[in-house]
Amino acid sequence: MKNYVVGDIQGCYKGLRKLLKSAGFDPNKDKLWAVGDLVARGPQSLETLQFLRDLGSPHFDTVLGNHDLHLIAMAHGISTPKPADKLEPLMKHKSFSELVEWLCTKKLALKPAKRHFISHAGLYPMWSTKKALRLADEVSDALTGPNQAKFLKNMYGNSPNVWSDSLEDCERLRFVVNAFTRMRFLNDKALDFKTKCHPDAAPKELTPWYLAPNPKLKKKKVILFGHWASLMGETNKPQVIALDTGYVWGKRMTLYCIESKQIFSQQA
């Protein structure tokens, strides 16, 4: 059995299938992990979710990205679809509610293998991976519990933008969601939500989250993330692996094998 981690799929079902075939992924033996943003902007969000769900939990798991959470919020009438996200076929399909319920069971962070950690946007540098997994569980409890509607209604917003263990209720959960699904740059310890470019073009006062000091992160930990297409897989840190390489923007989709450390790519 091999564990493969795929970057942002974003409704690009055909590209995903080509990539899995070229890598030799066996759906009966191997396991596929995803860094989130399964849907939106690509033309086949419905087919993507159906295929991934049908792989079954022994052979597939994913963290949630910002587009996945937005889809859940839309399903509950809390946000509205954008035409550019091409979600109408999915939202009109008879299995839409079932697929959304399935997505709600997914978490914001996972441990796919020993010394490995996955989230959509990365690891906030005031957290250890152990703490991050605990915080992801808090959000999962809110997303699947009786206060789901309250959580979704209060999920959006840019504040607070600095973590404190004293944060409570909606503010605590909102920060955790933002750190796991929207983070790119930090201004000291504060999340910056405006800048999305490559680090070389960013304002000098901003630091990519993976270059910020994290005394709580063990040296042998491998962090796998997506979300930041403009990086094109480049972090200059072997233990920080960026997997969003912009397939939906006409570039490529990337797959990483944990056991062999091999990277596979599919050009759009």
Side-chain angles (χ1 to χ4, degrees):
M1 173 184 170
K2 293 182 180 179
N3 289 280
Y4 294 89
V5 188
V6 66
D8 298 34
I9 302 167
Q10 295 197 256
C12 296
Y13 169 71
K14 290 182 180 179
L16 172 65
R17 294 302 302 269
K18 289 179 182 178
L19 177 58
L20 294 177
K21 183 178 180 179
S22 67
F25 172 76
D26 186 338
N28 297 309
K29 296 180 180 179
D30 301 325
K31 184 158 186 175
L32 177 65
W33 304 79
V35 299
D37 277 4
L38 309 180
V39 301
R41 295 183 175 151
Q44 294 179 299
S45 289
L46 170 62
E47 293 84 348
T48 298
L49 289 186
Q50 289 176 326
F51 169 71
L52 296 175
R53 177 201 59 185
D54 292 346
L55 284 176
S57 56
H59 300 287
F60 176 74
D61 206 351
T62 185
V63 295
L64 295 173
N66 49 299
H67 284 291
D68 308 314
L69 286 171
H70 190 52
L71 179 69
I72 293 170
M74 284 189 285
H76 289 82
I78 291 163
S79 61
T80 56
K82 301 175 183 178
D85 285 341
K86 304 175 184 177
L87 291 170
E88 188 174 355
L90 169 60
M91 298 184 74
K92 287 186 174 181
H93 197 269
K94 62 182 180 180
S95 66
F96 177 54
S97 296
E98 178 186 339
L99 290 168
V100 168
E101 288 181 10
W102 173 74
L103 269 183
C104 286
T105 66
K106 302 306 177 183
K107 298 187 176 184
L108 292 179
L110 291 170
K111 181 182 178 181
K114 187 177 180 181
R115 296 193 297 272
H116 288 72
F117 174 90
I118 296 175
S119 80
H120 181 59
L123 179 67
Y124 184 65
M126 287 180 66
W127 298 341
S128 65
T129 56
K130 186 175 181 180
K131 181 170 186 172
L133 291 167
R134 289 200 305 268
L135 292 170
D137 285 343
E138 291 184 25
V139 172
S140 184
D141 289 344
L143 187 56
T144 58
N147 294 320
Q148 181 190 64
K150 177 184 176 183
F151 163 71
L152 290 171
K153 287 177 181 178
N154 290 280
M155 179 176 66
Y156 293 105
N158 292 342
S159 63
N161 63 355
V162 177
W163 174 255
S164 170
D165 287 332
S166 64
L167 289 174
E168 296 180 345
D169 198 32
C170 296
E171 288 193 338
R172 181 180 179 91
L173 296 177
R174 187 184 306 120
F175 183 92
V176 175
V177 168
N178 284 340
F180 277 132
T181 67
R182 298 177 64 198
M183 177 178 66
R184 290 185 181 93
F185 289 98
L186 302 174
N187 189 340
D188 192 11
K189 296 178 181 179
L191 299 174
D192 174 86
F193 298 109
K194 295 180 180 180
T195 311
K196 301 180 180 181
C197 61
H198 190 278
D200 290 347
K204 292 182 179 180
E205 67 270 18
L206 299 182
T207 303
W209 66 265
Y210 54 86
L211 295 181
N214 186 344
K216 300 179 182 297
L217 181 62
K218 296 180 180 179
K219 291 183 178 180
K220 292 186 178 181
K221 289 285 185 180
V222 177
I223 310 298
L224 300 122
F225 72 105
H227 183 58
W228 200 341
S230 61
L231 285 178
M232 285 303 295
E234 298 176 359
T235 65
N236 297 316
K237 295 189 73 172
Q239 74 274 26
V240 181
I241 301 172
L243 292 173
D244 181 8
T245 45
Y247 185 90
V248 78
W249 304 114
K251 297 180 181 177
R252 65 180 190 267
M253 192 181 299
T254 298
L255 184 73
Y256 175 79
C257 179
I258 289 178
E259 285 75 19
S260 69
K261 300 182 180 180
Q262 188 174 357
I263 290 178
F264 304 87
S265 290
Q266 175 64 45
Q267 193 68 33

